[in-house]
Each structure stands twice: as structure tokens, then as C-alpha cells.
Amino acid sequence: MFRAVRPYLAQAGLDDLVVCYQGAVVAEPQSGRWLRHVPIPLELARETIGALHEEGFGLNCYVDDELYVAEVRPEARRYADFQHLEIHAVGDLGRWLDRDPTKLVAVGDPEALDELEEQLKPRFAGRLFISKSLPYFLEFAHPDVSKGSGLAFVAERLGFGPEETIACGDGENDRELLHWAGFGVAVANAHPDVLERADLIVPSVQEEGVALLLESYLDSVA
């Protein structure tokens, strides 16, 4: 979420364009202006909500940079508390929703979400981008949305290309990002698909592999 990442950008003193919501939003941190927003069409979102409800999964719904749920389940509370977010319980999400949401996220057991992903990808092929961000989050977005498409938007606006870009990733939802960039980097504990696509593998997240990469690069050009 933009509101979740914005405090970190302010703390770091950064005002560069930021890609949020898996690529559905590109925003200016200081002004708060959204330059790109590619939400899920309303009727498709309602169909998705219905499919997830039938399978018994808790669901996060994101509208206007706010988090909405049918009811506050423990998993939704953990997510909201981790990001220091307000959570809005609205009852029946399908009935409540009256505009295009930015994205939807099913929250649950990792293995159960793997099965859900395998089940729903054929049903929504070409209509939704479906991918895990973390083992316990299965995300649903507009089919034109990915981290790669979000970065491509930034690149076109700022005037650089894939050949000038290094992308670092670890999760299943980083595949398109590494595919777009001219040079892809995976941390050692990354998803197998990301490791397979990477041009370079650095130490794990716990060992601060990306920081080591950046420090090495900065030392090389100093």
C-alpha cells in the first residue's frame, strides 16, 4: 500500500517515484499524487470475492489506499498491525463494494493458498494477474499489473530502459520484475522461479544480500 510505504520513504529522505500494489500504482511520495492506477474492474472483483468466499478464505480488499475486510479475522489483524494500518470491517464485501478495487488479497495457510492458486488461475486466465507475494498472501490484480509493468511505467517516465536496470527479488511476484530488467538479482532464499531467472544470486534476506550488492556497486564506482 502507498500509505504503508510512505513513512519509510520520508524517513529515508526519498522522493523518487514509488511502485506500489504490485505495480497497480505508481505515486509521488511527497505530493501523494498517483501517476498510474490500474484497478480490477468492479464486476470482475465481485466475481473474485465470490469465488474466494466459496472456498472459505479471508480477504483483504484495497480501495482508495484503505484496507477493507468483511470481518476482522486474526490474519487480517496481524497484517494491519504489521503495517500500522487502520482496518475497516464492512460485512459482505461483494455487496459493499461499489467501485473498482486496486487489488484483492486472500490470506491463509501457505499450502491451502497453493491449491487455491492452482484452482483459480485457469478460471481467471487472461482476466486477472494472480501471484503470491508472501507464502500466506495470494494476490489478485488487473491482468496488466505486475512489478515489471510498474517499473516499465517509471522507466518510460524517467527515460531509462531495461538495459540500464538491475532488479532484485525474492518472491513469486518478482518474476515479471526480473524478466523486465536487464540484470536480475535473487537473494539466496528466493522462490525457485526467481532463482532460475536470476543473473546473480546474493546472500539471503537475513544476511542483507541486497544491501551488500548495493554497497559493492557503490564502492566500485566511488
Side-chain angles (χ1 to χ4, degrees):
M1 297 178 71
F2 178 51
R3 68 168 56 245
V5 74
R6 204 172 182 186
Y8 297 102
L9 297 170
Q11 184 179 6
L14 298 175
D15 192 36
D16 299 291
L17 297 182
V18 59
V19 180
C20 304
Y21 289 102
Q22 193 123 254
V25 170
V26 174
E28 294 176 333
Q30 189 168 357
S31 70
R33 188 163 65 105
W34 288 17
L35 305 179
R36 166 183 163 96
H37 183 213
V38 187
I40 303 171
L42 178 58
E43 290 307 314
L44 178 57
R46 286 175 173 161
E47 180 186 347
T48 308
I49 291 169
L52 294 171
H53 179 73
E54 289 174 4
E55 298 298 327
F57 283 89
L59 178 66
N60 292 350
C61 179
Y62 302 82
V63 179
D64 298 333
D65 212 26
E66 297 281 354
L67 172 59
Y68 296 91
V69 297
E71 59 180 338
V72 182
R73 296 186 177 191
E75 57 265 28
R77 173 54 60 197
R78 286 195 297 270
Y79 176 86
D81 290 347
F82 171 70
Q83 298 286 354
H84 307 292
L85 299 170
E86 184 177 2
I87 188 168
H88 308 281
V90 296
D92 188 325
L93 273 171
R95 291 191 178 188
W96 169 83
L97 192 63
D98 62 359
R99 54 201 182 280
D100 301 349
T102 303
K103 75 171 181 179
L104 302 169
V105 179
V107 183
D109 174 76
E111 291 186 4
L113 288 177
D114 287 341
E115 294 178 6
L116 181 68
E117 181 177 11
E118 186 175 343
Q119 176 184 340
L120 293 186
K121 273 189 171 180
R123 174 174 174 175
F124 292 102
R127 297 194 292 151
L128 285 174
F129 174 79
I130 302 176
S131 181
K132 276 189 167 184
S133 53
L134 291 172
Y136 38 84
F137 293 146
L138 182 61
E139 308 210 359
F140 301 81
H142 188 285
D144 293 339
V145 164
S146 71
K147 290 185 181 181
S149 67
L151 181 56
F153 177 91
V154 172
E156 183 176 0
R157 194 171 183 90
L158 299 184
F160 65 88
E163 68 281 359
E164 301 169 279
T165 307
I166 297 173
C168 304
D170 65 339
E172 179 183 328
N173 62 335
D174 291 320
R175 289 180 294 199
E176 292 79 12
L177 178 67
L178 268 65
H179 179 75
W180 185 86
F183 192 83
V185 178
V187 293
N189 60 324
H191 187 279
D193 283 357
V194 175
L195 290 170
E196 192 172 304
R197 293 166 187 260
D199 299 296
L200 175 68
I201 298 174
V202 297
S204 70
V205 172
Q206 291 76 16
E207 298 171 282
E208 301 182 343
V210 174
L212 293 172
L213 171 71
L214 295 175
E215 289 168 355
S216 297
Y217 172 74
L218 292 173
D219 287 345
S220 73
V221 297

